[in-house]
Amino acid sequence: MTSTSSPRGWELLLAMAGALAAMAGTTAAFVTHEHAWRYLIAAGCFAQFLGWVRYSRRLRGGAR
């Protein structure tokens, strides 16, 4: 095993932070009725997407 084969967890942290930001933005948009919160929702969803893509790319090839 090499030192790069151990999971670092940054990808999952990015995915979870994105999900949390999207949920916070959704709640804020629902409560305040401001359309500006949709940018936080979009950024959170994009961060979650990037986190999951990077995590899946690391596991590619059956190295689960």
Side-chain angles (χ1 to χ4, degrees):
M1 290 181 97
T2 64
S3 63
T4 59
S5 66
S6 64
R8 293 175 299 183
W10 292 107
E11 295 89 359
L12 292 178
L13 181 65
L14 181 63
M16 293 303 112
L20 188 65
M23 286 189 298
T26 302
T27 303
F30 180 72
V31 170
T32 64
H33 301 288
E34 292 290 329
H35 294 289
W37 290 109
R38 64 183 169 190
Y39 297 114
L40 178 63
I41 298 168
C45 291
F46 185 67
Q48 186 178 10
F49 172 76
L50 286 179
W52 284 117
V53 166
R54 294 205 30 107
Y55 180 73
S56 297
R57 193 173 288 169
R58 184 167 49 96
L59 292 180
R60 185 176 32 173
R64 294 182 185 220

